[in-house]
Amino acid sequence: MSHAPRRSPARAARSLATRGVLALALAAAAALQAGCLAVPIVAVAAMSGDGVDTYKPAKDADSPLKGTVVAVVPYGQTRAERRAAIDALRAEASARGVTLRVAEARSRASGQTDDLRSLVKKNPPDALVLMPAKDAGYDRGLAAAQDAGVPVFVVGRDVRVDDPGLYVARIATHAGPFAPALFDAIERLRAGRQVARLIVPDVGTPDPREPG
């Protein structure tokens, strides 16, 4: 008696996931055709095998950052907080023509350090954004980015490092919208202009320049 070859659990899971995505796509297409789905899809995330979501920018975006790639190592104390931060980054990146790559959220410095090293190992981005879960333990990851020539911007809490030059600036998140200030700072750096070490966005128009 012949038996069909058994598929591995991982292969079976991938097959099931593929069928699920196809079913969702067909359902969405049917809803659009029937006029039941009126909300357009603004950005679609493509997840690579390393757990990184890639968000393409708006096609009509026009800014000095158009065509650049920014990678993010995210964090949030709650899922809602993390989602809000990523959504803010996505909206700002899309408007400026920036491709955004977002790693899987982790709650340990060691995991975030692994993500920093992984993101610069293959196809390094033009800039890295670290939203630290802890206040220390990032020297190895930041050093890997520095060795790859990728500038790092810290968003949120400050981090203790042996070499302050391992990251460009920290953008605070408590005072106002941080995403515009972050991308303003990246734009200034790429233009060869000075960037403040600490940027505290104002509720009005953020200005990442050194005072005076």
Side-chain angles (χ1 to χ4, degrees), residues 37 44 78 99-100 104 112 122 145 172 184 203:
L37 187 60
V44 176
T78 65
T99 295
L100 196 69
E104 182 180 353
Q112 289 189 308
K122 185 178 180 181
D184 282 349
V203 177

Side-chain angles (χ1 to χ4, degrees), residues 130-148:
L130 169 64
M131 305 180 75
K134 307 296 179 183
D135 59 3
Y138 297 97
D139 292 79
R140 289 189 305 116
L142 294 173
Q146 187 180 67
D147 291 342

Side-chain angles (χ1 to χ4, degrees), residues 143-204:
Q146 187 180 67
D147 291 342
V150 179
V152 180
F153 293 81
V154 174
V155 171
R157 76 172 80 222
D158 198 5
V159 291
R160 299 194 307 269
V161 290
D162 293 333
D163 177 9
L166 288 177
Y167 66 90
V168 177
R170 179 171 76 90
I171 294 86
T173 57
H174 65 276
F178 73 91
L182 167 65
F183 284 98
D184 282 349
I186 295 174
E187 183 178 318
R188 290 182 67 85
L189 182 69
R190 290 181 61 81
R193 302 166 69 186
Q194 191 174 25
V195 178
R197 180 68 177 174
L198 172 62
I199 300 170
V200 181
D202 185 71
V203 177

